[in-house]
Amino acid sequence: MGKTLAEKIIGEHVGREVVAGEIVVTPVDVCLVQDGTGPLAINQLRKINLEKAANPQQTVLFIDHASPSPRKELANDHIALRQFARKTDCYVSEVGDGVCHQVINEYYTRPGDIVIGADSHTCTSGALGALGTGMGSTDVAIGIALGKTWLRVPESYRFVVYGRFQPGVYAKDLILHIIGMLGADGATYKSMEFCGETIENMEMSERLTMSNMAVEAGAKCGIIFSDKKTRAYLIAHGRGKSYRELRADEDATYERTYEVNASKILPTISFPHTVDNTRNIEHKDCQDVKIDQVYIGTCTNGRLEDLRIAAQILKGKQRHPGTRLIVVPASRSVYQQALEEGTLAILNGAGASIQSPGCGPCVGIHQGVLGDGEACLSTQNRNFKGRMGNPNAFIYLASPATAAATALKGKIADPREVIG
Amino acid sequence: MTAMRGKAWKFGDSISTDHIAPGRLFHLRSNLPELAKHVLEDARPEFASSMAPGDFVVGGGNFGLGSSREHAPTIIKIAGVSAVLAKSFARIFFRNCINVGLPAIICDTDKIDEGDELEVDLSRGKVINRTKKIELSFPPLPPVMTKILQEGGLANYIHKHGDFRLK
Ligand code: SF4
């Protein structure tokens, strides 16, 4: 019987054929925790006297959410992560190294892997043809110590995307559109599988954006086949040998199939306070929405390609005086390249505040917490009430192009009007 | 397990982990008793100070969506809530509830109003609404989750068994 990507990957791990709905115990290849979830994971292991790592070379503790630390309590959490790493030989991704989901896919994830992470956006690894899924601290703690976890083999929804994006429209608009269509619980427990010519044509940067947001429809994972673009990405990060081709079988069984015409999609915005509350840019609600802060960055859209898109729009111009602009490269290598090629100089010249690689203001800890009544347009993946540190603020989600256009105009703006 | 009794606190649809354990309190994550004083603050500011131990959190659809932070169900439990009831749960939150030993129950919460006196019998899969004099049933957990819950959470379960046992 034909297999979906989720069934294939899990089946390879457990050494027999599996079908959706089964519960299995499976080895895991890569484990990650971050500074918000890692300390609890470590405590749990200490409590049951199991402070060890089955695969320390493939276990990474990220200091990215509160990084550099804005408070002593968080600095102490960072110390705990470093101590655990010393004890177990796991790796610490330090202050300035970047967001977990960017770094893990630059340096660790291989096609066919099972990646578990104590962070909901671990599904980002799906872009490389891996099954990445987010879990809680204790689940990942046990995964780190024993090298395995239990999983229910998910049913799959297939998204066949065809057609070319209009200029000014990107993967972010597509995934926001899909989540708006499905609803925030439209794919709960499912594996979302993205395929079709539009996905085939996407570079890894855009595929990562697609997989990153699968959890915003409730999905367990968001997987994409691996191909020559995956290979090129791995080679670019010195990991060409990790490549293998992986595709779902032609006759795999999908619980649902959706066809999406990419050429019909317009720049799309999620309105406060849920990701599925989407409007396209031509909707009347997008008129005259004043924005106090624009944020370009995160595991969704803080990659080099994203910063280049923003720089192209902002080159030689100035942000609107009433709108501050925060830019956070997703990783050290993104930062380095953006620095060397001049992209950061353009953004700085346009009035951006450029900060250390990491999560930035995404989760409301530091580096851009919003004031009462303020509105932020962000390239992140989530706009829940209170997300950016203030329940009395408003968050809009959009692509880097829409974000850059908005920074210029001071209100939500259509990127198609400002791209050359 | 004996039946749990308490009062219902109603919440709407789509209660996120940011409502339950907001990011602005990130620095309290290694001080869970302190963080628990703020549980669900961004959904109902009065909840933490007014609830009584044993009470139930009753949500609508997609309860617990958002981040993987296990601190969210942990502080609900530390606050003394006996179980969370909802029409549906987000995946990671549901799994986390069981992992921290907090029962998460899927039932028709439209039949429960604020302040209703509830009794939950996990072994029979029943919610008894004593105020409305009705019974709601809920589906059993997969066996692996039942075991984890019975042991008081995943850490205890692994401590006892040393490994996952599916049977
Ligand atoms: S950038 Fe935002 S969504 Fe991504 S891992 Fe960091 S806090 Fe989470």
Side-chain angles (χ1 to χ4, degrees):
Chain A
M1 214 173 87
K3 298 286 175 211
T4 64
L5 279 169
E7 290 168 334
K8 254 191 194 176
I9 294 169
I10 297 172
E12 283 180 1
H13 280 76
V14 301
R16 62 176 173 81
E17 287 208 358
V18 296
V19 289
E22 270 187 66
I23 289 178
V24 301
V25 174
T26 172
V28 294
D29 304 289
V30 180
C31 297
L32 73 88
V33 298
Q34 34 91 340
D35 46 348
T37 57
L40 179 55
I42 291 168
N43 270 337
Q44 293 289 67
L45 291 181
R46 187 175 305 133
K47 256 195 339 213
I48 59 172
N49 205 10
L50 198 66
E51 283 175 280
K52 60 174 190 178
N55 302 301
Q57 303 301 314
Q58 295 285 104
T59 302
V60 191
L61 319 174
F62 285 91
I63 297 178
D64 58 353
H65 279 60
S67 169
S69 165
R71 321 180 50 124
K72 67 173 193 263
E73 296 89 339
L74 296 166
N76 289 337
D77 284 345
H78 294 171
I79 291 174
L81 292 181
R82 294 185 189 106
Q83 282 171 343
F84 179 80
R86 271 200 295 278
K87 199 179 243 177
T88 56
D89 286 331
C90 298
Y91 188 73
V92 174
S93 183
E94 268 293 349
V95 174
D97 287 345
V99 186
C100 49
H101 310 301
Q102 178 66 17
V103 175
I104 210 79
N105 293 313
E106 287 175 352
Y107 299 114
Y108 293 88
T109 311
R110 299 162 301 194
D113 274 356
I114 292 182
V115 181
I116 63 169
D119 191 284
S120 58
H121 295 102
T122 306
C123 52
T124 312
S125 292
L128 276 83
L131 192 157
T133 193
M135 295 179 170
S137 294
T138 309
D139 263 321
V140 177
I142 301 301
I144 290 171
L146 303 183
K148 53 181 142 176
T149 193
W150 74 269
L151 289 177
R152 181 177 173 281
V153 182
E155 294 83 11
S156 298
Y157 288 177
R158 183 169 55 154
F159 296 81
V160 185
V161 191
Y162 62 94
R164 284 172 73 97
F165 289 128
Q166 297 176 34
V169 178
Y170 302 89
K172 181 63 166 287
D173 300 297
L174 170 63
I175 190 67
L176 291 179
H177 170 85
I178 289 175
I179 293 161
M181 172 180 98
L182 290 180
D185 57 356
T188 299
Y189 296 99
K190 310 300 176 192
S191 169
M192 293 168 79
E193 233 184 68
F194 303 106
C195 62
E197 58 171 352
T198 314
I199 310 291
E200 305 265 354
N201 289 332
M202 277 182 189
E203 296 302 328
M204 195 50 65
S205 168
E206 293 202 288
R207 292 185 187 175
L208 288 160
T209 303
M210 296 296 297
S211 292
N212 175 266
M213 292 200 66
V215 66
E216 306 308 332
K220 180 175 211 147
C221 52
I223 317 184
I224 297 174
F225 52 82
S226 60
D227 66 353
K228 57 180 192 301
K229 303 226 158 146
T230 322
R231 185 157 171 267
Y233 180 85
L234 289 168
I235 291 172
H237 291 92
R239 302 201 288 128
K241 286 211 182 78
S242 301
Y243 178 70
R244 56 181 283 225
E245 190 175 307
L246 203 61
R247 283 183 184 265
D249 294 331
E250 296 279 332
D251 57 341
T253 307
Y254 292 90
E255 191 171 305
R256 291 186 195 166
T257 293
Y258 295 88
E259 296 205 355
V260 184
N261 182 349
S263 70
K264 291 263 167 64
I265 289 175
L266 300 177
T268 301
I269 317 268
S270 295
F271 274 57
H273 295 286
T274 55
V275 185
D276 58 359
N277 188 19
T278 54
R279 316 265 194 287
N280 74 53
I281 195 81
E282 291 176 1
H283 192 282
K284 62 174 179 11
D285 290 357
C286 296
Q287 298 297 309
D288 293 315
V289 183
K290 187 182 167 296
I291 297 293
D292 303 287
Q293 174 169 301
V294 166
Y295 173 33
I296 300 174
T298 79
C299 56
T300 319
N301 280 122
R303 282 175 275 283
L304 188 61
E305 292 79 352
D306 299 315
L307 303 187
R308 282 178 183 155
I309 290 165
Q312 205 192 339
I313 291 171
L314 290 162
K315 188 166 188 174
K317 303 196 177 119
Q318 281 297 310
R319 66 173 169 81
H320 188 275
T323 305
R324 48 198 191 265
L325 170 61
I326 295 171
V327 174
V328 181
S331 71
R332 185 179 298 283
S333 81
V334 171
Y335 194 99
Q336 183 75 25
Q337 288 181 66
L339 197 60
E340 285 172 5
E341 70 182 28
T343 297
L344 291 187
I346 293 172
L347 294 171
N348 190 51
S353 159
I354 298 166
Q355 309 194 30
S356 166
C359 298
C362 178
V363 66
I365 305 165
H366 62 354
Q367 296 178 332
V369 173
L370 300 172
D372 290 334
E374 284 195 318
C376 178
L377 185 129
S378 171
T379 63
Q380 69 196 61
N381 44 37
R382 227 166 235 170
N383 60 348
F384 303 142
K385 196 176 171 198
R387 175 76 182 176
M388 294 181 91
N390 188 341
N392 302 315
F394 302 87
I395 308 166
Y396 298 80
L397 308 178
S399 75
T402 303
T406 298
L408 280 181
K409 298 262 163 96
K411 53 185 187 176
I412 291 180
D414 188 337
R416 296 172 301 176
E417 289 169 11
V418 293
I419 51 175
Chain B
M1 248 178 243
T2 51
M4 303 173 289
R5 278 191 188 185
K7 207 160 69 90
W9 290 79
K10 272 285 275 235
F11 294 80
D13 289 333
S14 306
I15 295 297
S16 77
T17 55
D18 282 297
H19 286 111
I20 304 168
R24 68 170 186 283
L25 301 173
F26 211 80
H27 60 285
L28 295 178
R29 286 189 181 188
S30 289
N31 185 355
L32 291 167
E34 201 49 45
L35 188 59
K37 293 185 187 159
H38 300 272
V39 64
L40 280 154
E41 190 168 271
D42 286 356
R44 292 185 64 171
E46 78 289 4
F47 175 73
S49 53
S50 325
M51 66 152 292
D55 284 352
F56 295 92
V57 166
V58 180
N62 207 17
F63 193 96
L65 79 158
S67 104
S68 70
R69 63 190 76 150
E70 191 174 297
H71 313 73
T74 305
I75 61 173
I76 295 178
K77 188 177 156 101
I78 290 175
V81 170
S82 6
V84 184
L85 286 62
K87 281 193 249 179
S88 63
F89 287 93
R91 184 188 69 83
I92 305 175
F93 182 84
F94 187 76
R95 194 167 159 132
N96 280 344
C97 283
I98 307 304
N99 283 345
V100 303
L102 173 69
I105 291 163
I106 301 167
C107 66
D108 182 3
T109 54
D110 284 343
K111 303 224 161 66
I112 302 172
D113 287 316
E114 174 77 10
D116 282 359
E117 289 292 334
L118 305 181
E119 191 176 309
V120 170
D121 186 333
L122 284 179
S123 51
R124 282 174 55 232
K126 296 281 181 218
V127 177
I128 300 129
N129 186 332
R130 293 154 59 89
T131 307
K132 298 205 163 37
K133 305 202 171 18
I134 48 171
E135 260 192 23
L136 307 168
S137 15
F138 57 87
L141 291 168
V144 57
M145 287 185 130
T146 304
K147 269 271 174 248
I148 292 170
L149 189 59
Q150 280 168 354
E151 304 289 3
L154 180 63
N156 290 345
Y157 171 95
I158 292 291
H159 190 49
K160 182 161 172 191
H161 300 284
D163 205 342
F164 296 102
R165 289 182 202 287
L166 285 188
K167 298 283 167 326

